[in-house]
Amino acid sequence: MTTGNDQICFLSSKDFASASTTAVIASWKICPSSVTTDSLHIDSNFSSFFPNQGILERLNEGVVIGDGGFVFALEKRGYVKAGPWTPEAVIEYPEAVKQLHREFLRAGSDVMQCFTFYASEDKLENRGNKAAQHGVGAVNEAACKIAREVANEGDALIAGGMCQTPTYLSGGNKETVQIEFQKQADAFVKCGVDFLICEYFEHVEEATWAVEVCKKTGMAVAATLCINDEGDMHGVSTADCAVKLANAGADIIGINCHFDPDATLAGIREMKRGLDEAGLKRHLMSQPLAFKTPDVNKQGFIDLPEFPFALEPRILTRWDCHRYAREAYDLGVRYIGACCGFEPYHVRAIAEELSKERGCLPAASEKHDMWGGGLQLHTKPWVRARARRDYWENLSPASGRAESSAFSKPNAWGVTAGDDLLKQQKEATTLAEISNLAGRS
Ligand SMILES: [Zn+2]
């Protein structure tokens, strides 16, 4: 089956700006990592793109595009509950998880992150959550199986992921916290993931404990904190956080979640400075939010009054993702991915922006010409007039909400690991507790 390549230009965004929007029809290649075997043809020249390489070899060679946003995306689709944010959908609705993986693969993701966010046993049973009935091993192994099945439809890797634990937030010591990580690591070893990602840590101390457990598996380990350039929630500077992660053994270091691309890259710039000054060389990784967050404090978007059910007016456009991808690449980040709010079309924009560097386009570009090129086919002339880069690149979208302000006033409780208010429990939260908390805000 052919790919309909008579409608798709293989052009970088820079090329497109100077090209005729009608005359340039070039041959193009689909990134093998994003090819679904049953529907698309792989050009033989590119079948060796990332041949059987692990994550570190791929990063040494070029840019790797991540996936992202599973809890937020699947919550909106009706398969994840906001609040616990746990991933029991891998057992309850495996087809829904598989479909989202496929869409990210098609959009250009080189890594399928197993949907194991918050799948530590203590989180699966926190505050009345019933997800623990499935068992921590079963949840993590089911997630692996789904990710591998889809990854094998292209040339993607799978990564086992683990994140911060209720045990740590409640003041648990290193031994008790590492027991939680070990249960997840055992499942990832058993099912044979390609590498591990320790992500979404507000405290570098806990992240280093996770990295230590992961390193014992012998696999490559990525570690990302959910911080900006102001340091972690215990006051460790962002530069020092990077050095601590490197010294714990992390091979790939960066930031995910909690902040928009601008703040995420500002934090990574600090991490890079810290690593450079310490004489340490590590790959850099960014997986930001797809929400604009210029008004947040160091706790990030969870302090916004709109979190998590009214964030939509802040969502990035695909054009914002082009800018993010370019700025991350220019900063030296080579693992460029995504977190909450990102949908597959955002990732496609990253892959399209970096198509020149990667020498290929994602499979989903079959239905998307860069910089609005597809609008050349529109019936209305004023819409056809938008088939150009400078239109979309310079547009400032309206929110359509008369009472909407540009910024919100974040909550600022300043409660973090070690505080009584952050102690977790197995018992469900009571209405009396909610009433007390509401009185404080
Ligand atoms: Zn996130």
Side-chain angles (χ1 to χ4, degrees):
M1 184 174 175
T2 61
T3 56
N5 62 359
D6 58 334
Q7 292 181 14
I8 300 176
C9 301
F10 174 47
L11 294 168
S12 74
S13 54
K14 212 190 296 177
D15 291 338
F16 196 88
S18 59
S20 155
T21 55
T22 56
V24 181
I25 305 293
S27 64
W28 67 290
K29 320 284 191 243
I30 305 169
C31 302
S33 56
S34 80
V35 167
T36 50
T37 49
D38 61 344
S39 63
L40 292 166
H41 165 73
I42 304 175
D43 186 286
S44 58
N45 292 329
F46 279 78
S47 58
S48 62
F49 189 78
F50 292 154
N52 301 317
Q53 288 182 338
I55 185 63
L56 299 181
E57 291 77 18
R58 292 182 186 213
L59 288 167
N60 287 336
E61 189 171 297
V63 63
V64 167
I65 296 178
D67 62 359
F70 269 61
V71 282
F72 265 57
L74 289 172
E75 191 276 334
K76 288 183 171 64
R77 290 158 170 78
Y79 303 106
V80 163
K81 183 178 280 191
W85 303 109
T86 44
E88 58 274 18
V90 295
I91 289 175
E92 297 169 353
Y93 302 101
E95 289 304 319
V97 178
K98 192 178 294 181
Q99 175 64 19
L100 187 57
H101 277 304
R102 281 209 174 100
E103 290 175 19
F104 277 116
L105 185 77
R106 183 173 160 78
S109 298
D110 300 309
V111 176
M112 303 287 100
Q113 243 179 277
C114 301
F115 184 34
T116 54
F117 183 76
Y118 269 157
S120 60
E121 189 169 41
D122 56 346
K123 190 69 167 76
L124 296 176
E125 64 183 9
N126 194 48
R127 292 199 176 277
N129 191 0
K130 301 280 192 297
Q133 66 187 338
H134 299 296
V136 59
V139 170
N140 285 275
E141 286 169 36
C144 286
K145 186 167 169 283
I146 297 168
R148 179 63 79 194
E149 197 176 316
V150 179
N152 285 350
E153 293 174 1
D155 182 32
L157 299 175
I158 73 165
M162 56 181 78
C163 58
Q164 68 182 11
T165 62
T167 301
Y168 183 82
L169 294 180
S170 301
N173 62 23
K174 182 174 181 178
E175 188 186 355
T176 56
V177 172
Q178 287 193 325
I179 286 169
E180 298 300 328
F181 294 139
Q182 190 64 56
K183 290 177 214 166
Q184 284 190 270
D186 289 345
F188 295 138
V189 168
K190 188 174 170 190
C191 65
V193 299
D194 297 309
F195 68 104
L196 296 168
I197 299 176
C198 306
E199 66 171 3
Y200 196 75
F201 286 91
E202 297 173 308
H203 307 87
V204 70
E205 179 182 54
E206 187 186 17
T208 61
W209 296 351
V211 170
E212 285 174 24
V213 170
C214 290
K215 283 303 283 184
K216 286 185 193 152
T217 67
M219 287 186 263
V221 178
T224 58
L225 305 179
C226 46
I227 64 172
N228 61 2
D229 60 354
E230 296 175 45
D232 83 349
M233 296 306 290
H234 280 157
V236 181
S237 76
T238 305
D240 285 347
C241 285
V243 172
K244 285 177 186 296
L245 292 172
N247 288 337
D251 304 289
I252 306 160
I253 291 169
I255 290 173
N256 82 293
C257 208
H258 273 204
F259 297 94
D260 63 18
D262 289 342
T264 297
L265 294 181
I268 291 178
R269 195 167 287 112
E270 276 301 289
M271 288 185 152
K272 187 180 180 194
R273 184 180 64 78
L275 292 169
D276 286 347
E277 287 177 8
L280 297 165
K281 205 155 176 50
R282 296 291 186 278
H283 292 291
L284 299 173
M285 174 170 175
S286 63
Q287 304 228 76
L289 297 176
F291 303 109
K292 291 197 173 277
T293 61
D295 43 345
V296 300
N297 55 40
K298 70 184 287 187
Q299 181 65 76
F301 81 143
I302 61 174
D303 266 11
L304 289 174
E306 303 99 313
F307 175 88
F309 295 132
L311 287 163
E312 286 84 350
R314 294 171 177 265
I315 200 82
L316 300 187
T317 66
R318 64 193 70 194
W319 318 114
D320 294 322
C321 295
H322 272 267
R323 188 169 66 85
Y324 153 55
R326 182 55 51 196
E327 290 179 1
Y329 187 85
D330 289 348
L331 179 59
V333 180
R334 289 297 175 269
Y335 191 127
I336 300 176
C339 205
C340 302
F342 270 82
E343 292 283 341
Y345 76 97
H346 292 110
V347 168
R348 179 178 61 190
I350 295 172
E352 290 188 344
E353 176 63 31
L354 297 172
S355 58
K356 193 169 186 180
E357 286 79 6
R358 289 159 59 80
C360 57
L361 282 166
S365 293
E366 179 189 12
K367 295 292 185 185
H368 188 254
D369 296 351
M370 280 219 275
W371 299 112
L375 298 180
Q376 293 172 51
L377 283 70
H378 203 277
T379 54
K380 305 293 190 298
W382 60 92
V383 181
R384 285 199 299 279
R386 298 172 193 161
R388 54 196 163 90
R389 174 176 177 167
D390 61 338
Y391 177 85
W392 295 108
E393 209 166 36
N394 296 316
L395 184 74
S396 181
S399 73
R401 296 164 191 270
E403 303 297 321
S404 170
S405 60
F407 300 145
S408 293
K409 188 172 183 302
N411 290 139
W413 286 26
V415 176
T416 193
D419 286 300
D420 276 351
L421 265 179
L422 215 60
K423 286 226 165 68
Q424 304 298 312
Q425 62 194 37
K426 290 185 186 179
E427 298 73 33
T429 306
T430 64
L431 291 178
E433 284 175 308
I434 297 293
S435 178
N436 280 340
L437 293 171
R440 285 178 56 104
S441 60

